[in-house]
Amino acid sequence: MTHSMRTDTHTPYLDGHRDWRDTATRYALVPLRVFLGVTFVYAGLDKLTSSSFMRSSGAGSIGETMRAVRDSSAIPALVDFALKNPPAFGYAMAVGELAVGIGTLLGLFTRLAALGGALISLSLWLTVSWASDPYYYGNDLAYLMAWLPLVLAGAPVLSLDAYLRARRRRRAGGAY
């Protein structure tokens, strides 16, 4: 008896028939895109609409959060940079999260949006959640790892990137 693992992502059938595994493989990143996109849009809007987040000090402010994690972060200089102008840093983070989330949901410049999401998650991991013990209690590392498949693969289906790619192919006469 022989056991094998299916690793191909394209249908082996000459007639173009796809089975359920081919379809599942093709759409595998869509739930991840939706989750990360919605989460980052929500995070950005939450920050922008918070009455306390965009302040230099006070409970729930970006300034207080940065001061609280400064000594336990992996890169205190990054926290010091944010502390030079906490509200500006907070707005930059919120707008960045919003842009990443929208780009990911629409599948527009998906690899770039995912790289932005990965960089945001990396910076949060190295500052805010670095001291989480054990490390897997901090969710920023998990978000960083979740962004990597989208950085590598982009959004090949159900995306503006795929639509634009197909449109370019049609205009080029299918030579793409």
Side-chain angles (χ1 to χ4, degrees):
M1 183 169 178
T2 313
H3 296 282
S4 66
M5 180 190 288
R6 183 183 175 102
T7 58
D8 62 324
T9 57
H10 301 286
T11 181
Y13 307 108
L14 294 176
D15 64 358
H17 174 71
R18 292 179 185 260
D19 66 4
W20 69 270
R21 289 175 291 202
D22 295 321
T23 302
T25 299
R26 185 169 166 78
Y27 291 91
L29 293 178
V30 173
L32 184 61
R33 272 183 47 216
V34 170
F35 171 75
L36 290 172
V38 167
T39 300
F40 269 58
V41 166
Y42 179 79
L45 289 175
D46 190 43
K47 287 173 180 65
L48 289 171
T49 58
S50 170
S51 61
S52 60
F53 183 78
M54 297 296 179
R55 297 185 180 181
S56 295
S57 61
S61 69
I62 181 75
E64 284 302 312
T65 300
M66 292 292 102
R67 279 188 280 286
V69 302
R70 193 226 176 259
D71 293 332
S72 63
S73 73
I75 306 176
L78 187 58
V79 178
D80 290 339
F81 177 74
L83 283 170
K84 288 183 182 188
N85 190 341
F89 184 76
Y91 279 109
M93 177 177 277
V95 169
E97 287 173 337
L98 205 51
V100 163
I102 291 169
T104 302
L105 282 172
L106 295 177
L108 183 61
F109 303 116
T110 309
R111 285 187 171 110
L112 182 61
L115 180 61
L119 291 173
I120 290 169
S121 297
L122 176 63
S123 67
L124 290 172
W125 176 55
L126 292 173
T127 56
V128 178
S129 61
W130 181 255
S132 296
D133 186 31
Y135 75 92
Y136 51 82
Y137 280 175
N139 64 357
D140 296 310
L141 180 58
Y143 278 106
L144 171 60
M145 294 299 120
W147 283 112
L148 296 181
L150 294 177
V151 170
L152 296 171
V157 296
L158 300 178
S159 67
L160 288 174
D161 288 342
Y163 169 77
L164 294 171
R165 190 170 38 257
R167 189 171 165 207
R168 283 191 303 268
R169 254 189 230 131
R170 282 191 303 274
R171 285 190 175 170
Y176 245 76

PDB file of all heavy atoms in Angstrom, residues 40-72:
ATOM      1  N   PHE A  40      -7.537  44.636  11.044  1.00  0.00           N
ATOM      2  CA  PHE A  40      -6.746  45.858  10.947  1.00  0.00           C
ATOM      3  C   PHE A  40      -7.610  47.085  10.673  1.00  0.00           C
ATOM      4  O   PHE A  40      -7.310  48.171  11.184  1.00  0.00           O
ATOM      5  CB  PHE A  40      -5.618  45.685   9.931  1.00  0.00           C
ATOM      6  CG  PHE A  40      -4.351  45.169  10.570  1.00  0.00           C
ATOM      7  CD1 PHE A  40      -4.338  43.976  11.261  1.00  0.00           C
ATOM      8  CD2 PHE A  40      -3.174  45.896  10.504  1.00  0.00           C
ATOM      9  CE1 PHE A  40      -3.190  43.505  11.872  1.00  0.00           C
ATOM     10  CE2 PHE A  40      -2.017  45.438  11.110  1.00  0.00           C
ATOM     11  CZ  PHE A  40      -2.018  44.237  11.799  1.00  0.00           C
ATOM     12  N   VAL A  41      -8.670  46.950   9.900  1.00  0.00           N
ATOM     13  CA  VAL A  41      -9.601  48.072   9.730  1.00  0.00           C
ATOM     14  C   VAL A  41     -10.213  48.426  11.082  1.00  0.00           C
ATOM     15  O   VAL A  41     -10.269  49.600  11.475  1.00  0.00           O
ATOM     16  CB  VAL A  41     -10.698  47.752   8.685  1.00  0.00           C
ATOM     17  CG1 VAL A  41     -11.839  48.761   8.755  1.00  0.00           C
ATOM     18  CG2 VAL A  41     -10.105  47.723   7.286  1.00  0.00           C
ATOM     19  N   TYR A  42     -10.651  47.418  11.814  1.00  0.00           N
ATOM     20  CA  TYR A  42     -11.242  47.651  13.135  1.00  0.00           C
ATOM     21  C   TYR A  42     -10.244  48.317  14.078  1.00  0.00           C
ATOM     22  O   TYR A  42     -10.574  49.276  14.782  1.00  0.00           O
ATOM     23  CB  TYR A  42     -11.744  46.324  13.723  1.00  0.00           C
ATOM     24  CG  TYR A  42     -12.350  46.478  15.092  1.00  0.00           C
ATOM     25  CD1 TYR A  42     -13.650  46.955  15.251  1.00  0.00           C
ATOM     26  CD2 TYR A  42     -11.626  46.156  16.233  1.00  0.00           C
ATOM     27  CE1 TYR A  42     -14.215  47.104  16.502  1.00  0.00           C
ATOM     28  CE2 TYR A  42     -12.174  46.303  17.490  1.00  0.00           C
ATOM     29  CZ  TYR A  42     -13.463  46.779  17.621  1.00  0.00           C
ATOM     30  OH  TYR A  42     -14.006  46.936  18.869  1.00  0.00           O
ATOM     31  N   ALA A  43      -9.001  47.815  14.088  1.00  0.00           N
ATOM     32  CA  ALA A  43      -7.971  48.377  14.976  1.00  0.00           C
ATOM     33  C   ALA A  43      -7.708  49.843  14.634  1.00  0.00           C
ATOM     34  O   ALA A  43      -7.583  50.685  15.534  1.00  0.00           O
ATOM     35  CB  ALA A  43      -6.688  47.560  14.877  1.00  0.00           C
ATOM     36  N   GLY A  44      -7.621  50.151  13.345  1.00  0.00           N
ATOM     37  CA  GLY A  44      -7.385  51.535  12.941  1.00  0.00           C
ATOM     38  C   GLY A  44      -8.542  52.444  13.314  1.00  0.00           C
ATOM     39  O   GLY A  44      -8.339  53.540  13.859  1.00  0.00           O
ATOM     40  N   LEU A  45      -9.769  52.001  13.036  1.00  0.00           N
ATOM     41  CA  LEU A  45     -10.948  52.810  13.380  1.00  0.00           C
ATOM     42  C   LEU A  45     -11.101  52.958  14.893  1.00  0.00           C
ATOM     43  O   LEU A  45     -11.485  54.026  15.383  1.00  0.00           O
ATOM     44  CB  LEU A  45     -12.214  52.187  12.784  1.00  0.00           C
ATOM     45  CG  LEU A  45     -12.348  52.276  11.271  1.00  0.00           C
ATOM     46  CD1 LEU A  45     -13.583  51.513  10.788  1.00  0.00           C
ATOM     47  CD2 LEU A  45     -12.383  53.724  10.807  1.00  0.00           C
ATOM     48  N   ASP A  46     -10.792  51.894  15.625  1.00  0.00           N
ATOM     49  CA  ASP A  46     -10.877  51.941  17.084  1.00  0.00           C
ATOM     50  C   ASP A  46      -9.942  53.013  17.644  1.00  0.00           C
ATOM     51  O   ASP A  46     -10.314  53.769  18.536  1.00  0.00           O
ATOM     52  CB  ASP A  46     -10.539  50.561  17.658  1.00  0.00           C
ATOM     53  CG  ASP A  46     -10.826  50.451  19.139  1.00  0.00           C
ATOM     54  OD1 ASP A  46     -11.893  50.930  19.578  1.00  0.00           O
ATOM     55  OD2 ASP A  46      -9.982  49.885  19.858  1.00  0.00           O
ATOM     56  N   LYS A  47      -8.742  53.083  17.103  1.00  0.00           N
ATOM     57  CA  LYS A  47      -7.785  54.087  17.562  1.00  0.00           C
ATOM     58  C   LYS A  47      -8.251  55.494  17.182  1.00  0.00           C
ATOM     59  O   LYS A  47      -8.162  56.426  17.981  1.00  0.00           O
ATOM     60  CB  LYS A  47      -6.401  53.814  16.969  1.00  0.00           C
ATOM     61  CG  LYS A  47      -5.697  52.628  17.588  1.00  0.00           C
ATOM     62  CD  LYS A  47      -4.407  52.314  16.841  1.00  0.00           C
ATOM     63  CE  LYS A  47      -3.691  51.129  17.432  1.00  0.00           C
ATOM     64  NZ  LYS A  47      -4.417  49.861  17.305  1.00  0.00           N
ATOM     65  N   LEU A  48      -8.717  55.648  15.941  1.00  0.00           N
ATOM     66  CA  LEU A  48      -9.126  56.971  15.467  1.00  0.00           C
ATOM     67  C   LEU A  48     -10.356  57.506  16.186  1.00  0.00           C
ATOM     68  O   LEU A  48     -10.535  58.723  16.296  1.00  0.00           O
ATOM     69  CB  LEU A  48      -9.390  56.934  13.958  1.00  0.00           C
ATOM     70  CG  LEU A  48      -8.154  56.798  13.084  1.00  0.00           C
ATOM     71  CD1 LEU A  48      -8.549  56.560  11.627  1.00  0.00           C
ATOM     72  CD2 LEU A  48      -7.254  58.018  13.203  1.00  0.00           C
ATOM     73  N   THR A  49     -11.213  56.623  16.667  1.00  0.00           N
ATOM     74  CA  THR A  49     -12.443  57.066  17.328  1.00  0.00           C
ATOM     75  C   THR A  49     -12.357  57.039  18.845  1.00  0.00           C
ATOM     76  O   THR A  49     -13.307  57.422  19.525  1.00  0.00           O
ATOM     77  CB  THR A  49     -13.650  56.206  16.885  1.00  0.00           C
ATOM     78  OG1 THR A  49     -13.389  54.838  17.198  1.00  0.00           O
ATOM     79  CG2 THR A  49     -13.898  56.365  15.387  1.00  0.00           C
ATOM     80  N   SER A  50     -11.237  56.623  19.378  1.00  0.00           N
ATOM     81  CA  SER A  50     -11.065  56.569  20.831  1.00  0.00           C
ATOM     82  C   SER A  50     -10.887  57.983  21.393  1.00  0.00           C
ATOM     83  O   SER A  50     -10.158  58.799  20.832  1.00  0.00           O
ATOM     84  CB  SER A  50      -9.838  55.730  21.190  1.00  0.00           C
ATOM     85  OG  SER A  50      -9.539  55.853  22.564  1.00  0.00           O
ATOM     86  N   SER A  51     -11.532  58.246  22.508  1.00  0.00           N
ATOM     87  CA  SER A  51     -11.399  59.566  23.125  1.00  0.00           C
ATOM     88  C   SER A  51     -10.094  59.710  23.901  1.00  0.00           C
ATOM     89  O   SER A  51      -9.682  60.820  24.219  1.00  0.00           O
ATOM     90  CB  SER A  51     -12.588  59.828  24.064  1.00  0.00           C
ATOM     91  OG  SER A  51     -12.609  58.852  25.087  1.00  0.00           O
ATOM     92  N   SER A  52      -9.417  58.607  24.179  1.00  0.00           N
ATOM     93  CA  SER A  52      -8.196  58.689  24.983  1.00  0.00           C
ATOM     94  C   SER A  52      -6.932  58.239  24.264  1.00  0.00           C
ATOM     95  O   SER A  52      -5.834  58.631  24.659  1.00  0.00           O
ATOM     96  CB  SER A  52      -8.363  57.863  26.258  1.00  0.00           C
ATOM     97  OG  SER A  52      -8.605  56.506  25.931  1.00  0.00           O
ATOM     98  N   PHE A  53      -7.023  57.430  23.223  1.00  0.00           N
ATOM     99  CA  PHE A  53      -5.840  56.816  22.630  1.00  0.00           C
ATOM    100  C   PHE A  53      -4.845  57.825  22.080  1.00  0.00           C
ATOM    101  O   PHE A  53      -3.639  57.685  22.264  1.00  0.00           O
ATOM    102  CB  PHE A  53      -6.231  55.828  21.522  1.00  0.00           C
ATOM    103  CG  PHE A  53      -5.048  55.126  20.925  1.00  0.00           C
ATOM    104  CD1 PHE A  53      -4.448  54.064  21.588  1.00  0.00           C
ATOM    105  CD2 PHE A  53      -4.494  55.544  19.720  1.00  0.00           C
ATOM    106  CE1 PHE A  53      -3.342  53.420  21.061  1.00  0.00           C
ATOM    107  CE2 PHE A  53      -3.394  54.909  19.183  1.00  0.00           C
ATOM    108  CZ  PHE A  53      -2.809  53.852  19.857  1.00  0.00           C
ATOM    109  N   MET A  54      -5.300  58.841  21.396  1.00  0.00           N
ATOM    110  CA  MET A  54      -4.416  59.780  20.703  1.00  0.00           C
ATOM    111  C   MET A  54      -3.851  60.872  21.615  1.00  0.00           C
ATOM    112  O   MET A  54      -3.501  61.947  21.153  1.00  0.00           O
ATOM    113  CB  MET A  54      -5.153  60.439  19.534  1.00  0.00           C
ATOM    114  CG  MET A  54      -5.584  59.489  18.473  1.00  0.00           C
ATOM    115  SD  MET A  54      -4.167  58.708  17.680  1.00  0.00           S
ATOM    116  CE  MET A  54      -5.009  57.648  16.528  1.00  0.00           C
ATOM    117  N   ARG A  55      -3.690  60.586  22.870  1.00  0.00           N
ATOM    118  CA  ARG A  55      -3.153  61.575  23.810  1.00  0.00           C
ATOM    119  C   ARG A  55      -1.750  61.197  24.253  1.00  0.00           C
ATOM    120  O   ARG A  55      -1.354  60.046  24.198  1.00  0.00           O
ATOM    121  CB  ARG A  55      -4.067  61.696  25.016  1.00  0.00           C
ATOM    122  CG  ARG A  55      -5.432  62.200  24.616  1.00  0.00           C
ATOM    123  CD  ARG A  55      -6.290  62.443  25.782  1.00  0.00           C
ATOM    124  NE  ARG A  55      -7.581  62.933  25.292  1.00  0.00           N
ATOM    125  CZ  ARG A  55      -8.553  63.263  26.051  1.00  0.00           C
ATOM    126  NH1 ARG A  55      -8.449  63.156  27.355  1.00  0.00           N
ATOM    127  NH2 ARG A  55      -9.688  63.692  25.539  1.00  0.00           N
ATOM    128  N   SER A  56      -1.023  62.189  24.729  1.00  0.00           N
ATOM    129  CA  SER A  56       0.336  61.961  25.212  1.00  0.00           C
ATOM    130  C   SER A  56       0.367  61.292  26.573  1.00  0.00           C
ATOM    131  O   SER A  56       1.341  60.630  26.929  1.00  0.00           O
ATOM    132  CB  SER A  56       1.101  63.281  25.301  1.00  0.00           C
ATOM    133  OG  SER A  56       1.266  63.824  24.016  1.00  0.00           O
ATOM    134  N   SER A  57      -0.689  61.493  27.348  1.00  0.00           N
ATOM    135  CA  SER A  57      -0.732  60.896  28.684  1.00  0.00           C
ATOM    136  C   SER A  57      -2.173  60.614  29.076  1.00  0.00           C
ATOM    137  O   SER A  57      -3.105  61.054  28.413  1.00  0.00           O
ATOM    138  CB  SER A  57      -0.076  61.830  29.709  1.00  0.00           C
ATOM    139  OG  SER A  57      -0.779  63.055  29.756  1.00  0.00           O
ATOM    140  N   GLY A  58      -2.314  59.873  30.144  1.00  0.00           N
ATOM    141  CA  GLY A  58      -3.635  59.517  30.631  1.00  0.00           C
ATOM    142  C   GLY A  58      -3.951  58.054  30.352  1.00  0.00           C
ATOM    143  O   GLY A  58      -3.334  57.420  29.499  1.00  0.00           O
ATOM    144  N   ALA A  59      -4.909  57.545  31.097  1.00  0.00           N
ATOM    145  CA  ALA A  59      -5.299  56.142  30.969  1.00  0.00           C
ATOM    146  C   ALA A  59      -5.745  55.828  29.548  1.00  0.00           C
ATOM    147  O   ALA A  59      -6.540  56.561  28.959  1.00  0.00           O
ATOM    148  CB  ALA A  59      -6.423  55.818  31.949  1.00  0.00           C
ATOM    149  N   GLY A  60      -5.212  54.764  28.990  1.00  0.00           N
ATOM    150  CA  GLY A  60      -5.581  54.320  27.658  1.00  0.00           C
ATOM    151  C   GLY A  60      -4.911  55.077  26.523  1.00  0.00           C
ATOM    152  O   GLY A  60      -5.207  54.826  25.358  1.00  0.00           O
ATOM    153  N   SER A  61      -4.001  55.985  26.837  1.00  0.00           N
ATOM    154  CA  SER A  61      -3.353  56.779  25.794  1.00  0.00           C
ATOM    155  C   SER A  61      -2.156  56.045  25.209  1.00  0.00           C
ATOM    156  O   SER A  61      -1.555  55.181  25.848  1.00  0.00           O
ATOM    157  CB  SER A  61      -2.888  58.128  26.359  1.00  0.00           C
ATOM    158  OG  SER A  61      -1.806  57.935  27.257  1.00  0.00           O
ATOM    159  N   ILE A  62      -1.802  56.420  23.991  1.00  0.00           N
ATOM    160  CA  ILE A  62      -0.624  55.856  23.339  1.00  0.00           C
ATOM    161  C   ILE A  62       0.634  56.217  24.128  1.00  0.00           C
ATOM    162  O   ILE A  62       1.552  55.401  24.264  1.00  0.00           O
ATOM    163  CB  ILE A  62      -0.522  56.308  21.850  1.00  0.00           C
ATOM    164  CG1 ILE A  62       0.692  55.698  21.141  1.00  0.00           C
ATOM    165  CG2 ILE A  62      -0.464  57.806  21.715  1.00  0.00           C
ATOM    166  CD1 ILE A  62       0.556  54.260  20.796  1.00  0.00           C
ATOM    167  N   GLY A  63       0.667  57.413  24.678  1.00  0.00           N
ATOM    168  CA  GLY A  63       1.823  57.842  25.471  1.00  0.00           C
ATOM    169  C   GLY A  63       2.031  56.976  26.708  1.00  0.00           C
ATOM    170  O   GLY A  63       3.155  56.528  26.992  1.00  0.00           O
ATOM    171  N   GLU A  64       0.962  56.721  27.438  1.00  0.00           N
ATOM    172  CA  GLU A  64       1.067  55.878  28.641  1.00  0.00           C
ATOM    173  C   GLU A  64       1.451  54.448  28.284  1.00  0.00           C
ATOM    174  O   GLU A  64       2.251  53.818  28.959  1.00  0.00           O
ATOM    175  CB  GLU A  64      -0.246  55.878  29.430  1.00  0.00           C
ATOM    176  CG  GLU A  64      -0.488  57.119  30.223  1.00  0.00           C
ATOM    177  CD  GLU A  64       0.611  57.422  31.238  1.00  0.00           C
ATOM    178  OE1 GLU A  64       1.026  56.517  31.994  1.00  0.00           O
ATOM    179  OE2 GLU A  64       1.059  58.583  31.254  1.00  0.00           O
ATOM    180  N   THR A  65       0.888  53.938  27.194  1.00  0.00           N
ATOM    181  CA  THR A  65       1.223  52.586  26.754  1.00  0.00           C
ATOM    182  C   THR A  65       2.708  52.491  26.423  1.00  0.00           C
ATOM    183  O   THR A  65       3.393  51.544  26.840  1.00  0.00           O
ATOM    184  CB  THR A  65       0.381  52.188  25.528  1.00  0.00           C
ATOM    185  OG1 THR A  65      -1.004  52.247  25.879  1.00  0.00           O
ATOM    186  CG2 THR A  65       0.726  50.797  25.039  1.00  0.00           C
ATOM    187  N   MET A  66       3.221  53.465  25.688  1.00  0.00           N
ATOM    188  CA  MET A  66       4.640  53.450  25.309  1.00  0.00           C
ATOM    189  C   MET A  66       5.545  53.577  26.533  1.00  0.00           C
ATOM    190  O   MET A  66       6.564  52.895  26.636  1.00  0.00           O
ATOM    191  CB  MET A  66       4.955  54.571  24.315  1.00  0.00           C
ATOM    192  CG  MET A  66       4.311  54.396  22.952  1.00  0.00           C
ATOM    193  SD  MET A  66       5.002  53.009  22.021  1.00  0.00           S
ATOM    194  CE  MET A  66       3.775  51.769  22.245  1.00  0.00           C
ATOM    195  N   ARG A  67       5.185  54.433  27.479  1.00  0.00           N
ATOM    196  CA  ARG A  67       5.998  54.565  28.698  1.00  0.00           C
ATOM    197  C   ARG A  67       5.975  53.267  29.518  1.00  0.00           C
ATOM    198  O   ARG A  67       6.981  52.866  30.097  1.00  0.00           O
ATOM    199  CB  ARG A  67       5.520  55.747  29.544  1.00  0.00           C
ATOM    200  CG  ARG A  67       6.054  57.080  29.035  1.00  0.00           C
ATOM    201  CD  ARG A  67       5.739  58.239  29.976  1.00  0.00           C
ATOM    202  NE  ARG A  67       4.369  58.718  29.829  1.00  0.00           N
ATOM    203  CZ  ARG A  67       3.931  59.444  28.808  1.00  0.00           C
ATOM    204  NH1 ARG A  67       4.728  59.791  27.829  1.00  0.00           N
ATOM    205  NH2 ARG A  67       2.683  59.847  28.755  1.00  0.00           N
ATOM    206  N   ALA A  68       4.839  52.586  29.521  1.00  0.00           N
ATOM    207  CA  ALA A  68       4.705  51.344  30.301  1.00  0.00           C
ATOM    208  C   ALA A  68       5.559  50.210  29.740  1.00  0.00           C
ATOM    209  O   ALA A  68       6.024  49.356  30.492  1.00  0.00           O
ATOM    210  CB  ALA A  68       3.240  50.919  30.357  1.00  0.00           C
ATOM    211  N   VAL A  69       5.767  50.191  28.423  1.00  0.00           N
ATOM    212  CA  VAL A  69       6.512  49.083  27.816  1.00  0.00           C
ATOM    213  C   VAL A  69       7.957  49.435  27.489  1.00  0.00           C
ATOM    214  O   VAL A  69       8.722  48.569  27.069  1.00  0.00           O
ATOM    215  CB  VAL A  69       5.819  48.563  26.525  1.00  0.00           C
ATOM    216  CG1 VAL A  69       4.401  48.105  26.833  1.00  0.00           C
ATOM    217  CG2 VAL A  69       5.846  49.602  25.413  1.00  0.00           C
ATOM    218  N   ARG A  70       8.345  50.653  27.704  1.00  0.00           N
ATOM    219  CA  ARG A  70       9.668  51.106  27.272  1.00  0.00           C
ATOM    220  C   ARG A  70      10.800  50.231  27.795  1.00  0.00           C
ATOM    221  O   ARG A  70      11.658  49.788  27.047  1.00  0.00           O
ATOM    222  CB  ARG A  70       9.897  52.556  27.680  1.00  0.00           C
ATOM    223  CG  ARG A  70      11.112  53.122  26.969  1.00  0.00           C
ATOM    224  CD  ARG A  70      12.016  53.886  27.899  1.00  0.00           C
ATOM    225  NE  ARG A  70      13.190  54.314  27.157  1.00  0.00           N
ATOM    226  CZ  ARG A  70      14.351  53.700  27.236  1.00  0.00           C
ATOM    227  NH1 ARG A  70      14.481  52.619  27.963  1.00  0.00           N
ATOM    228  NH2 ARG A  70      15.397  54.133  26.565  1.00  0.00           N
ATOM    229  N   ASP A  71      10.822  49.976  29.081  1.00  0.00           N
ATOM    230  CA  ASP A  71      11.947  49.244  29.679  1.00  0.00           C
ATOM    231  C   ASP A  71      11.915  47.747  29.403  1.00  0.00           C
ATOM    232  O   ASP A  71      12.927  47.077  29.561  1.00  0.00           O
ATOM    233  CB  ASP A  71      12.010  49.504  31.185  1.00  0.00           C
ATOM    234  CG  ASP A  71      12.361  50.956  31.486  1.00  0.00           C
ATOM    235  OD1 ASP A  71      13.043  51.593  30.642  1.00  0.00           O
ATOM    236  OD2 ASP A  71      11.943  51.457  32.543  1.00  0.00           O
ATOM    237  N   SER A  72      10.785  47.213  29.004  1.00  0.00           N
ATOM    238  CA  SER A  72      10.698  45.774  28.732  1.00  0.00           C
ATOM    239  C   SER A  72      10.709  45.454  27.239  1.00  0.00           C
ATOM    240  O   SER A  72      10.661  44.285  26.860  1.00  0.00           O
ATOM    241  CB  SER A  72       9.436  45.193  29.370  1.00  0.00           C
ATOM    242  OG  SER A  72       8.284  45.769  28.788  1.00  0.00           O
TER     243      SER A  72
END
